[in-house]
Amino acid sequence: MSHPVASIWAATAHPAPETPPIAGAHTADVAVIGAGVTGLGAAIKLAEGGASVIVLDSGGPGFGASGRNGGQVIPGLKHDPDELDKLYGAAATEFAGKTADVVFALIEKYGIDCAATRGGWIQGTLKTSHLPMLERRVAQWKAHGADVEMLDAAGIRRLTGTGRYVGGWIDRRAGTLHPLNYSYGLARAALSLGAQVHGGSEVASLKRSNGRWLLVTANGARIDAGHVVIGTNGYTGRLWPKLKGTVIPASSFQIATAPLSEEQLQRILPGSVAISDTRRIANYMRIGPGNRLMLGGRGTFSEPKELADYRRMVADLKAFFPETAGTPLDYYWSGRVAMTWDHMPRLHRPAPDMTIALGYNGRGVALGTAMGQAIGAHILDPQTPLPLTFRTIRPLPVHDLHPIYASMAIEYYRLRDSLEK
Ligand SMILES: Cc1cc2nc3c(=O)[nH]c(=O)nc-3n(C[C@H](O)[C@H](O)[C@H](O)COP(=O)(O)OP(=O)(O)OC[C@H]3O[C@@H](n4cnc5c(N)ncnc54)[C@H](O)[C@@H]3O)c2cc1C
């Protein structure tokens, strides 16, 4: 197998919607930078409300993490409900609990063909010391009416086919989808509502003039917009001052096996359940297109250059499912996530009529979609509250050294993971 290979998603996607590069001069109520789930989620809500919208992406719909991820649609934020209530208020908790609902409702509303299933998500644990935390998590979500349940070691083995977990919980609000087809479907929905969506359209400059925004793309197109939404997450560049420095763009790696045998499929993650675990540097797994077993996790901080860069994922796969040792691997790929120091996403309004959302810490399929929708609703009617408050843009100290520090941090977290019981 040569490298790089396409992701399993690129290899199995429907044809992409037509999103030609933008050219010439345009005017819109809102310009959206980034055609991932955040940008497209916002664009759909805005176009539904009658706003004229232009979405611009350097690549195209789903070019970033939105088209490369594990397709696990998981509700929630880092904190459990009681802590969320305390730190961010009841509305933030309510929002966090409903993010997966937002995704599945959009899929239904726009008939998005993206292999969506709602088989639940299991958060397993390899550490008995983490079980009390999971029990609290389950009790608190149950108190909010969520369909969640603790699993003991035998229960989790039955549902996943691996004996590594000592317990865990299942969240039946969650599910899986084909992320690139989901991104394409969101783009088609936005187009069907009259929005313009343009790939190959990197926004090179952004200036405020006479109470409007002027965006100029790398190929010279000019867009005059009343409001700008930035949803560039792990692909954030130097377009807006200091924004890039607020997040650490980390690579998330994935591998997918050749199709599993019927016999393997009956044991390994039957019932299209998705799973990850409670370690600081966790693995996530699911069955993907063609009945392939997929595993993902945190890779190196730089982009992978060769297959050897994926060796940790291969070892992780064998540790969970030794019986796949002889199963060839068909796909290896990666994408960029945006990490924040407190694992919470960021909303910024550094200038009038500008909304920025990023920093989903590798959990943005549901969160980014719901955040985009909430931003769209708020722009249409500023009385509609956002789920989190705006924060000042504060770059992380010594950001440019992040690959070194972050790699050290990852190894430190791995060590702590390995020392915990
Ligand atoms: C390998 C991997 C696995 C993951 N697995 C999961 C998972 O299973 N579940 C989950 O919830 N989350 C997962 N995530 C995280 C999730 O994919 C992201 O949080 C989410 O997709 C972020 O969406 P977004 O729209 O904010 O950003 P992105 O989808 O990253 O999109 C940003 C876009 O901005 C564009 N852009 C940047 N700068 C410019 C510019 N100047 N002009 C124009 N366009 C620009 C880029 O081209 C890009 O398309 C995973 C991520 C990766 C990489």
Side-chain angles (χ1 to χ4, degrees):
M1 194 181 67
S2 62
H3 188 78
V5 294
S7 72
I8 196 171
W9 309 121
T12 58
H14 303 316
E18 286 281 307
T19 58
I22 195 164
H26 299 257
T27 302
D29 294 328
V30 185
V32 176
I33 305 171
V37 293
T38 303
L40 292 169
I44 289 172
K45 183 61 88 181
L46 286 159
E48 282 175 345
S52 58
V53 187
I54 299 180
V55 184
L56 303 157
D57 198 287
S58 319
F63 168 81
S66 296
R68 308 167 189 234
N69 60 64
Q72 301 200 2
V73 187
I74 307 168
L77 282 161
K78 175 189 161 48
H79 305 285
D80 292 331
D82 289 359
E83 210 178 350
L84 270 180
D85 280 351
K86 224 183 297 157
L87 291 173
Y88 303 97
T93 314
E94 166 98 6
F95 169 82
K98 295 230 156 80
T99 56
D101 292 347
V102 172
V103 169
F104 291 109
L106 273 174
I107 290 170
E108 200 176 319
K109 184 168 184 183
Y110 291 101
I112 298 176
D113 179 8
C114 61
T117 61
R118 219 156 175 186
W121 167 70
I122 292 175
Q123 187 177 32
T125 183
L126 311 178
K127 318 277 177 191
T128 36
S129 61
H130 290 190
L131 288 171
M133 166 189 78
L134 296 186
E135 267 154 18
R136 283 195 299 276
R137 186 164 294 165
V138 166
Q140 290 178 23
W141 277 122
K142 262 197 180 148
H144 284 263
D147 188 358
V148 297
E149 195 187 329
M150 274 308 280
L151 297 169
D152 62 14
I156 207 165
R157 179 197 283 263
R158 206 175 47 248
L159 288 173
T160 63
T162 170
R164 276 191 90 193
Y165 303 110
V166 296
W169 66 294
I170 182 160
D171 187 339
R172 295 196 184 84
R173 297 170 296 182
T176 59
L177 47 67
H178 185 303
L180 191 52
N181 281 340
Y182 176 56
S183 299
Y184 287 171
L186 291 177
R188 281 186 208 287
L191 289 164
S192 76
L193 292 161
Q196 289 176 236
V197 183
H198 298 279
S201 302
E202 181 191 349
V203 179
S205 80
L206 184 56
K207 286 202 180 73
R208 186 97 176 137
S209 127
N210 298 327
R212 305 271 302 172
W213 287 103
L214 175 66
L215 291 76
V216 181
T217 64
N219 54 357
R222 298 163 73 83
I223 301 100
D224 168 277
H227 197 114
V228 172
V229 174
I230 301 183
T232 49
N233 207 46
Y235 294 80
T236 300
R238 306 246 174 233
L239 184 62
W240 187 256
K242 302 191 174 149
L243 184 63
K244 185 178 164 74
T246 60
V247 290
I248 304 262
S251 290
S252 196
F253 287 17
Q254 283 195 78
I255 57 176
T257 66
L260 298 184
S261 68
E262 273 310 314
E263 194 266 323
Q264 285 175 314
L265 280 170
Q266 277 169 22
R267 274 182 301 110
I268 300 176
L269 298 174
S272 61
V273 74
I275 185 155
S276 55
D277 65 75
T278 59
R279 285 172 300 170
R280 293 170 186 84
I281 310 298
N283 288 121
Y284 48 94
M285 289 174 281
R286 59 170 285 193
I287 303 292
N291 291 330
R292 292 175 163 86
L293 174 60
M294 293 168 43
L295 176 137
R298 194 64 69 241
T300 51
F301 264 82
S302 45
E303 303 281 335
K305 291 180 192 61
E306 50 187 359
L307 294 183
D309 290 334
Y310 292 83
R311 63 181 173 272
R312 203 186 285 269
M313 304 298 125
V314 177
D316 289 341
L317 184 67
K318 273 192 205 144
F320 280 104
F321 296 107
E323 66 266 50
T324 61
T327 311
L329 295 171
D330 279 357
Y331 298 99
Y332 304 71
W333 72 100
S334 77
R336 267 183 254 151
V337 299
M339 310 300 290
T340 58
W341 66 266
D342 59 358
H343 294 271
M344 284 295 286
R346 298 287 187 269
L347 275 177
H348 300 294
R349 177 156 291 163
D353 303 323
M354 171 182 274
T355 310
I356 303 174
L358 78 175
Y360 303 118
N361 294 277
R363 274 274 192 94
V365 175
L367 185 55
T369 307
M371 194 67 95
Q373 291 260 287
I375 288 170
H378 177 75
I379 294 171
L380 288 170
D381 174 8
Q383 299 305 315
T384 308
L386 285 161
L388 297 171
T389 49
F390 291 118
R391 294 215 213 171
T392 308
I393 291 184
R394 271 209 190 86
L396 295 158
V398 290
H399 182 265
D400 285 344
L401 292 177
H402 75 77
I404 300 165
Y405 288 114
S407 301
M408 280 163 63
I410 289 258
E411 288 315 319
Y412 170 68
Y413 287 141
R414 278 207 172 98
L415 178 69
R416 283 183 61 189
D417 282 338
S418 69
L419 292 176
E420 259 174 5
K421 293 274 175 259

